[in-house]
Amino acid sequence: TSSSETDANSYITASISPSGLALVLVSVYSNAGTAANTPTLSGAGMTWVEIVNNPSVDDNKNKITLFRSLAASPGSGALTIDFAGQTQNRCHWSITEFTNVNTTGTNGSGAIVQNVVNDLLGGTSFTVTLSAFENTANATYGTMSGSDNVAITPGTGFTELGEADGPSFGSIESEWRDDNDTSVDWSFGSKDNITGIAVEIRFSLGIVGWKSLLGVGQG
């Protein structure tokens, strides 16, 4: 989980080495000072598919985008976050790997049951509400971004996977829990403009136990 406040139209993460048949989720926060392009993602010998993106309520200047991938024999290397020539004021990212997931479909499609987005213009607490879960064995993932640099506290029962705050502006955080929670929430040290995504991850039935590995690096 890392950040950059360098003006650029593409950003490079640290190198990652995903495990075979693991779901990799990459959350990207960006700010363009105007309606932000939705980025594309490439690298590590994997095909990256956008799950959903959610622009903020303040003129779409801030945007959070979530990608997924899953491969039997992934490669390794840095990821490139590309904004199709549009210069961003900043970009933050959080990369998480989950094993023991459903591996049907393509590029992790079978591991994602549902996703929901929400945003908030100014507040000290924030919730994204999922529908009822498909199975009690499934897990809960959430990611959010803020336009300012504020202290972020994960919701009750959630474990923070990663948090990055820009030197001047912006923040990103990801969290999860290995059971069902339809209220994916956070709280903040001061008011902020928030945009977030919540996901239900489908467990691979017949395998005992969840495992989540967080890739941490400075990009």
Side-chain angles (χ1 to χ4, degrees):
T1 300
S2 191
S3 65
S4 173
E5 286 193 359
T6 300
D7 288 0
N9 56 41
S10 67
Y11 297 84
I12 307 296
T13 75
S15 180
I16 64 170
S17 298
S19 303
L21 298 179
L23 173 69
V24 184
L25 297 180
V26 180
S27 174
V28 176
Y29 158 69
S30 55
N31 177 289
T34 185
N37 284 353
T38 300
T40 57
L41 189 66
S42 61
M46 302 175 76
T47 299
W48 299 94
V49 178
E50 178 192 332
I51 297 174
V52 68
N53 72 82
N54 190 34
S56 66
V57 292
D58 53 341
D59 300 323
N60 300 332
K61 294 178 182 179
N62 299 287
K63 178 176 284 189
I64 191 168
T65 307
L66 185 63
F67 298 90
R68 60 171 166 82
S69 191
L70 183 152
S73 300
S76 62
L79 303 183
T80 299
I81 305 165
D82 188 83
F83 292 90
Q86 184 189 53
T87 298
Q88 308 295 303
N89 298 325
R90 52 189 177 269
C91 183
H92 302 174
W93 52 88
S94 184
I95 306 170
T96 311
E97 169 183 297
F98 297 91
T99 60
N100 295 348
V101 300
N102 184 292
T103 58
T104 61
T106 57
N107 304 310
S109 61
I112 304 297
V113 181
Q114 59 170 314
N115 66 86
V116 177
V117 301
N118 193 17
D119 50 52
L120 174 69
L121 184 60
T124 56
S125 63
F126 177 66
T127 301
V128 184
T129 304
L130 290 164
S131 299
F133 275 55
E134 171 191 80
N135 193 296
T136 56
N138 292 346
T140 313
Y141 168 89
T143 184
M144 55 71 58
S145 63
S147 59
D148 294 322
N149 188 335
V150 299
I152 302 169
T153 301
T156 301
F158 284 90
T159 297
E160 184 174 79
L161 297 169
E163 178 180 344
D165 303 307
S168 302
F169 297 101
S171 57
I172 192 169
E173 197 261 16
S174 57
E175 63 180 26
W176 90 301
R177 54 184 298 165
D178 64 356
D179 56 10
N180 300 179
D181 194 334
T182 57
S183 297
V184 184
D185 61 322
W186 297 264
S187 58
F188 313 98
S190 58
K191 287 188 177 182
D192 199 3
N193 299 331
I194 308 297
T195 180
I197 302 169
V199 174
E200 177 185 356
I201 302 176
R202 183 178 283 122
F203 181 63
S204 179
L205 296 178
I207 298 177
V208 178
W210 272 97
K211 183 181 180 184
S212 172
L213 299 176
L214 173 66
V216 178
Q218 294 300 312

